[in-house]
Amino acid sequence: MYSLSIIIPLYNEQKRILKSFEILKKFILKNNSNKIEIIFVSDGSTDQTNNLVRRFIENNKKKIKLIFIRYKKNVGKGFAIKKGILKSKKKWILICDGDMSVNPDQFNYWYKNKKIIKINEAYFGSRGHEKSKVKTSLTRKFLGMCFVIFIKLLFNIDLKDSQCGFKVLHRNYALKAFKRIKSFRFAFDVELVLILKKLQIKINELPLKWVHKSGSKLSLYKDIPKMTYDLLKIKIKNLL
């Protein structure tokens, strides 16, 4: 049986989190909870997210180890994930979006089918994988394709999907990698890829089932310029 930390970054998720809790409850019931911990990281949430997480923890703390990290200022998804990973204790680390666009059971499928086996390799869920089943809009598909081309030209990253929120890392290198992360918003995925490359960690893209959930905190008009700026900063940093 694997030893697993699940890191779930959250920001103002009160409208979606109850459905995510139902998915997590099913996951907990199906698995050996003694080997699993779930770490919620609230990135400066100002709605009822924190209260809902506390209630979930209170109702389920006897079933599984649940950890809640919260802070007042909204810093970014990358920062939240970094905080969670540095707090984790298990051997395998699963990064999972709060909306559960990918069911955490996907980890079990990969693990049981020996897709995840090497402690010196990373495993990224890929919506661009030919065997993936993805439900999303044509607009997001197009923007995703443009982003893949952009980061390939900018960083020579040959991945079909660096931005998917479902990633599996091993403690063998994860803590070392995340201590180096300096990009705290949505561009952190690209910085993570570059850091793993420097650490000589192979990245494997694996197929998954991904369903778009409404209410995403990524604004195509506000965050894309910010992400572009962050990517250029990462590029300059790597040239120095």
Side-chain angles (χ1 to χ4, degrees):
M1 181 65 188
Y2 55 73
S3 168
L4 178 67
S5 296
I6 303 177
I7 314 299
I8 304 177
L10 302 168
Y11 175 62
N12 289 352
E13 291 287 353
Q14 67 176 22
K15 294 181 179 179
R16 305 192 294 179
I17 201 169
L18 293 179
K19 291 183 179 179
S20 297
F21 286 158
E22 293 303 314
I23 293 171
L24 285 172
K25 285 179 184 177
K26 292 178 181 178
F27 180 81
I28 291 169
L29 288 173
K30 288 174 62 176
N31 294 278
N32 182 353
S33 59
N34 292 328
K35 294 286 187 177
I36 300 172
E37 65 179 6
I38 300 176
I39 303 176
F40 298 99
V41 187
S42 178
D43 183 36
S45 295
T46 55
D47 62 0
Q48 290 299 308
T49 296
N50 291 352
N51 290 333
L52 292 171
V53 172
R54 289 190 192 98
R55 191 181 307 164
F56 178 79
I57 291 175
E58 184 63 30
N59 294 334
N60 295 275
K61 62 184 180 181
K62 294 182 180 179
K63 301 174 185 176
I64 193 170
K65 183 178 180 181
L66 298 166
I67 299 171
F68 187 26
I69 301 171
R70 57 204 175 279
Y71 40 90
K72 292 184 178 181
K73 184 180 179 181
N74 174 246
V75 183
K77 182 181 178 181
F79 183 79
I81 292 173
K82 178 175 181 175
K83 294 281 283 188
I85 285 181
L86 296 182
K87 183 74 173 180
S88 67
K89 301 297 182 184
K90 305 299 183 179
K91 292 182 179 179
W92 287 104
I93 298 170
L94 167 63
I95 301 169
C96 188
D97 283 342
D99 64 359
M100 300 288 140
S101 51
V102 181
N103 193 303
D105 264 341
Q106 183 70 61
F107 178 90
N108 284 332
Y109 179 81
W110 287 350
Y111 191 86
K112 290 175 182 177
N113 287 278
K114 301 187 184 305
K115 301 291 185 182
I116 300 173
I117 52 175
K118 296 181 180 179
I119 65 173
N120 290 317
E121 295 187 5
Y123 302 88
F124 284 21
S126 175
R127 291 163 293 189
H129 196 288
E130 60 182 9
K131 293 183 179 180
S132 288
K133 296 179 180 180
V134 178
K135 292 184 180 180
T136 189
S137 67
L138 290 176
T139 300
R140 286 184 175 271
K141 282 185 178 180
F142 174 74
L143 290 173
M145 290 171 59
C146 292
F147 187 80
V148 168
I149 294 170
F150 180 61
I151 63 167
K152 182 174 176 60
L153 293 173
L154 197 60
F155 299 103
N156 194 30
I157 291 176
D158 194 20
L159 293 176
K160 294 181 179 179
D161 187 5
S162 63
Q163 301 307 110
C164 181
F166 200 86
K167 294 179 171 68
V168 177
L169 313 169
H170 196 274
R171 190 174 186 81
N172 191 46
Y173 59 81
L175 300 187
K176 183 186 296 184
F178 268 84
K179 284 178 181 178
R180 299 186 185 185
I181 291 285
K182 301 298 182 184
S183 180
F184 294 151
R185 293 185 287 195
F186 292 105
F188 92 93
D189 298 274
V190 173
E191 187 180 16
L192 175 61
V193 171
L194 296 174
I195 290 171
L196 292 177
K197 186 176 181 180
K198 288 180 180 178
L199 294 175
Q200 297 185 322
I201 302 298
K202 179 183 176 182
I203 297 174
N204 301 281
E205 290 192 279
L206 299 179
L208 43 61
K209 294 181 181 179
W210 191 90
V211 179
H212 172 68
K213 304 289 181 69
S214 60
S216 171
K217 300 303 179 295
L218 175 64
S219 169
L220 300 181
Y221 303 103
K222 293 181 180 180
D223 290 318
I224 287 181
K226 291 179 182 177
M227 184 183 289
T228 302
Y229 174 72
D230 288 344
L231 290 173
L232 292 175
K233 283 174 60 180
I234 294 170
K235 178 65 175 180
I236 293 170
K237 175 185 172 183
N238 279 271
L239 287 175
L240 296 177

